[in-house]
Amino acid sequence: MKTKLNKIILKAAGIAHRTGRFPSDNFPEVLIEVPKLESHGDYSTSFAMMSAGTQKMSPRKIAEAILEGIEDPGDIISDIQIAGPGFINFYIKPSAWHPILSRINAEDLRYGASDRGQRRKVQVEFVSANPTGPLHVGHGRGAAVGDSLANILSFYGCDVQREYYINNSGRQIHTLGRSVYIRFLSLHGREVVFPDDCYQGDYILDLARQINAEKGDSLLAMSEDKAIQNCARFAADKVLAGIRSDLEHFGIVFDRWYSEQSLYDDGKVDRMIDDLLSRDLVYRKDGALWFRTTSFGDEKDRVVVRTNGQTTYFASDIAYHHDKYLRGFDRVIDIWGADHHGYIPRMNAAVEASGRNRNQFDVILVRLVNLLRNGKPVAMSTRAGEFVTLGDVIDEVGRDAARFIFLTRHYDSTLDFDLELAKRKTNDNPVYYVQYVHARIASIIRKSVEKEMGPVTYDPAAVSMLTVKEEIGLIKRMDHFPEVILRSAEEMTPHRIAFYLIDLAAAFHAYYNKHRVLTDDPILARGRLYLVAAVKKVIRNGLTLLGVSAPERM
RNA sequence: GCCCCCGUAGCUCAGUGGAUAGAGCAUUGGAUUCCUAAUCCAUGUGCGCAAGUUCGAUUCUUGCCGGGGGCACCA
């Protein structure tokens, strides 16, 4: 609808210019919005006010000139008014809304999709938690955001890949091995003081028991170094398997699990360092090798190879991101916890150094999650090994509720996740509110089948009977859906969809309570059935993008 | 000290360079002989503070105040 108005306005402005009413043909972008007040029409534009500068005319005069040039071949406009400082308000005829319904019902699963992404290859990398312990709620938020964003971009027309980067090299993994090994030793009666810098959680003890059961004796016979190495590999594999299963539980499947270690094994890190050396992007100082990140805007240079000869995490990360582009992605999106924000400048530097453009790399920083129960913080300390895992949360509140809660907030603000609130099946928990729309309509459709009212198909006579304001309101909202998707994809804001769905759900529930769909008038009933069938599809499409199910019954 | 984010209703959060800033919860009172009451209808106080840019600022800029996070040859 907006597109149609857009054309009409531009054409009118063109006419005004040709007939000499406008001195300039330099027109601003036509911004059309839905006014907050119904009395301001269905759509409104500030075009006249924005043109005031270039036309050197008063906004109202401009608006009048536009009005004279308005042509409405589709016969969609019932009234146009100039209001306030120069707003042009459009009132749309009810009949103009009706074709949208057949479009929604026809496009069905694809309604809202577009080809704006131009099949661009985009990679979304998310979660990527170190395999040193189970996932917690914070990872869950990143998982929900990343997965949903991937869905949205794909719907937008991008060619999207989901990837999990496994930090399976380096000190933390060694610490994991050491932690398990020490617990293992204590199983064999060797009293060892458990160091503070080791992982304290109960799962470490479980891992020790498992490795003991599988290869206890051989492990005892090994040198400490070798044993720790064995423990590390064993534990990391197990922990990763757990992570994978938690994520699958959450409905998330990665296209690829990329191993950090493989970067070393394949020589990609070494090659990258050689390359940087040859381009004089790294230099030696104090026995270490430094990357000139300051040349790309970072506040200080960063170490890639330490004095002891070991590479830093940053080194493999440069190689990793370089590799992403080599694999053909022309855009890379990383989703990180907000505590990594200081890392962005150096990663930007790395991306630029590998010859890529700034706009080919985005980092989404997902803020902290506070886990609460009845408004009180749930005590959590990774150190002490006391924490509620993502798996626990999903088991307790359910996958749909958990996902929806993560996505009804902008990722840029901290999130209070209350376990008790999340379990409630009331309006405290909008996920059920939205899903209920889907179930209710499914039920209506079942009923219509029982009553043998015939299939839900397009019937111009029936659809033309949809004239009450709640019906037009629903269509109007659904007409808006594709635009919500565009914005959500372009701004990388999944939460827009969640809020859109809540709004559409509210409009539906209100309609449902006020008007009966399956009325005694068979024609009207058919029209309303066609309307709610469209609502059902839009709700489903939206929920699917969020990774939330759309149930037929509740 | 420096950097990033946040500050909107009693609470949890949306939103916007424009015409009277929204939703849920909480409060109070209502709605079902009929399509699922996990529903609906009614009920009011608010953009942290101060300057600047603008025809117009809650939105953009700067400063201040308050909250969170970050400033490793850790990952």
Side-chain angles (χ1 to χ4, degrees):
Chain A
M1 194 64 73
K2 278 192 187 178
T3 328
K4 287 181 187 166
L5 287 176
N6 198 306
K7 283 185 190 145
I8 290 172
I9 293 164
L10 271 180
K11 193 157 179 217
I15 290 171
H17 172 64
R18 280 197 300 281
T19 56
R21 304 204 51 168
F22 286 171
S24 166
D25 64 349
N26 179 18
F27 303 124
E29 193 188 347
V30 182
L31 292 175
I32 296 171
E33 53 183 24
V34 178
K36 285 171 207 139
L37 266 72
E38 263 175 52
S39 60
H40 291 148
D42 293 306
Y43 291 102
S44 172
T45 182
S46 55
F47 184 77
M49 290 178 295
M50 292 172 71
S51 303
T54 47
Q55 304 296 357
K56 308 248 191 306
M57 292 166 67
S58 81
R60 291 194 75 103
K61 280 255 186 315
I62 294 170
E64 281 162 21
I66 299 245
L67 240 60
E68 278 180 36
I70 294 280
E71 290 171 7
D72 181 19
D75 195 25
I76 59 170
I77 300 170
S78 67
D79 193 16
I80 306 175
Q81 284 176 6
I82 301 170
F87 291 102
I88 306 173
N89 297 337
F90 295 86
Y91 297 77
I92 306 296
K93 287 187 178 171
S95 60
W97 296 108
H98 295 147
I100 292 161
L101 288 181
S102 56
R103 183 178 156 207
I104 297 168
N105 279 310
E107 292 186 10
D108 201 349
L109 288 163
R110 296 289 300 160
Y111 180 66
S114 76
D115 55 5
R116 293 280 191 100
Q118 302 173 301
R119 309 303 337 153
R120 234 177 129 187
K121 281 193 78 181
V122 177
Q123 186 207 56
V124 183
E125 182 218 319
F126 57 109
V127 188
S128 299
N130 293 348
T132 54
L135 298 178
H136 53 71
V137 262
H139 296 122
R141 188 179 190 184
V145 170
D147 189 51
S148 178
L149 184 61
N151 287 336
I152 293 163
L153 289 172
S154 173
F155 208 51
Y156 181 74
C158 295
D159 194 357
V160 183
Q161 191 226 35
R162 292 165 169 71
E163 183 155 297
Y164 187 116
Y165 182 55
I166 311 164
N167 296 126
N168 51 5
S169 146
R171 212 177 68 180
Q172 299 213 6
I173 291 296
H174 185 261
T175 304
L176 174 70
R178 202 154 61 92
S179 308
V180 171
Y181 184 61
I182 292 169
R183 289 296 190 209
F184 164 80
L185 289 179
S186 69
L187 288 177
H188 287 268
R190 299 212 207 151
E191 275 313 314
V192 190
V193 183
F194 198 75
D196 281 349
D197 64 338
C198 279
Y199 297 107
Q200 313 283 322
D202 288 343
Y203 67 96
I204 297 290
L205 200 54
D206 289 341
L207 289 167
R209 291 204 185 95
Q210 285 181 48
I211 196 167
N212 187 37
E214 286 182 32
K215 40 180 155 183
D217 292 336
S218 65
L219 205 61
L220 277 174
M222 285 176 202
S223 70
E224 184 172 306
D225 275 358
K226 193 121 190 266
I228 288 176
Q229 238 177 56
N230 267 271
C231 284
R233 204 175 311 126
F234 178 89
D237 285 350
K238 288 280 185 209
V239 170
L240 196 62
I243 287 174
R244 201 186 283 242
S245 118
D246 276 356
L247 287 169
E248 274 171 19
H249 237 79
F250 205 32
I252 293 169
V253 177
F254 284 91
D255 299 304
R256 183 155 181 191
W257 296 71
Y258 197 102
S259 152
E260 179 189 10
Q261 187 60 45
S262 75
L263 289 166
Y264 289 100
D265 297 343
D266 299 345
K268 285 177 178 163
V269 178
D270 288 339
R271 278 205 299 279
M272 180 274 301
I273 291 172
D274 287 346
D275 176 57
L276 293 178
L277 272 169
S278 73
R279 292 194 288 146
D280 193 35
L281 287 171
V282 293
Y283 61 94
R284 199 163 285 284
K285 190 184 87 180
D286 305 331
L289 209 56
W290 299 71
F291 186 167
R292 297 186 198 279
T293 50
T294 45
S295 313
F296 303 94
D298 198 4
E299 57 185 14
K300 55 173 285 198
D301 289 339
R302 308 289 174 175
V303 170
V304 285
V305 181
R306 287 180 266 167
T307 314
N308 64 10
Q310 285 180 346
T311 51
T312 59
Y313 174 85
F314 181 46
S316 50
D317 228 0
I318 301 169
Y320 175 47
H321 282 77
H322 185 55
D323 184 69
K324 290 184 182 196
Y325 295 106
L326 291 182
R327 281 188 274 153
F329 295 109
D330 51 39
R331 185 167 170 215
V332 164
I333 300 170
D334 285 11
I335 295 178
W336 299 345
D339 51 341
H340 287 75
H341 100 86
Y343 200 73
I344 294 176
R346 83 190 73 165
M347 214 53 243
N348 277 333
V351 168
E352 279 187 58
S354 72
R356 310 293 154 167
N357 208 305
R358 267 277 160 89
N359 60 25
Q360 289 180 277
F361 179 63
D362 283 295
V363 177
I364 289 182
L365 289 179
V366 177
R367 299 279 146 186
L368 203 83
V369 179
N370 297 313
L371 196 62
L372 309 174
R373 189 180 289 283
N374 285 321
K376 291 189 182 131
V378 175
M380 286 219 274
S381 154
T382 316
R383 271 267 152 271
E386 294 165 8
F387 47 73
V388 179
T389 66
L390 176 61
D392 297 336
V393 172
I394 297 170
D395 286 345
E396 186 169 345
V397 312
R399 155 179 157 183
D400 287 339
R403 278 210 171 205
F404 205 79
I405 289 167
F406 286 133
L407 296 173
T408 36
R409 241 129 290 198
H410 188 76
Y411 52 73
D412 225 354
S413 52
T414 54
L415 161 63
D416 288 331
F417 192 112
D418 194 305
L419 289 164
E420 295 305 323
L421 217 66
K423 281 193 290 188
R424 278 188 219 157
K425 299 192 171 173
T426 63
N427 265 357
D428 279 320
N429 215 359
V431 65
Y432 299 113
Y433 185 81
V434 175
Q435 287 183 318
Y436 191 43
V437 171
H438 195 265
R440 261 186 158 172
I441 296 173
S443 168
I444 295 172
I445 292 173
R446 282 195 297 272
K447 207 71 159 192
S448 79
V449 172
E450 265 172 42
K451 290 188 171 181
E452 298 180 347
M453 299 179 67
V456 184
T457 49
Y458 178 66
D459 172 351
V463 169
S464 71
M465 294 184 78
L466 301 173
T467 51
V468 301
K469 83 171 197 270
E470 289 82 5
E471 287 163 345
I472 301 302
L474 278 171
I475 302 174
K476 204 167 151 183
R477 281 182 171 80
M478 292 192 283
D479 179 46
H480 199 56
F481 183 64
E483 195 187 320
V484 171
I485 303 298
L486 295 188
R487 287 195 67 178
S488 167
E490 282 159 11
E491 299 169 355
M492 303 189 285
T493 48
H495 76 281
R496 275 189 185 282
I497 294 173
F499 281 94
Y500 169 82
L501 290 174
I502 292 169
D503 180 61
L504 179 60
F508 171 78
H509 286 310
Y511 174 61
Y512 178 90
N513 272 273
K514 191 161 173 189
H515 303 284
R516 207 177 151 71
V517 174
L518 305 177
T519 54
D520 295 333
D521 177 347
I523 311 281
L524 179 59
R526 203 154 349 128
R528 290 189 168 167
L529 211 45
Y530 197 68
L531 168 71
V532 298
V535 173
K536 183 169 179 257
K537 287 172 182 171
V538 175
I539 292 280
R540 177 207 52 203
N541 288 5
L543 285 176
T544 304
L545 291 172
L546 302 181
V548 175
S549 69
E552 293 291 314
R553 292 168 203 275
M554 286 172 74

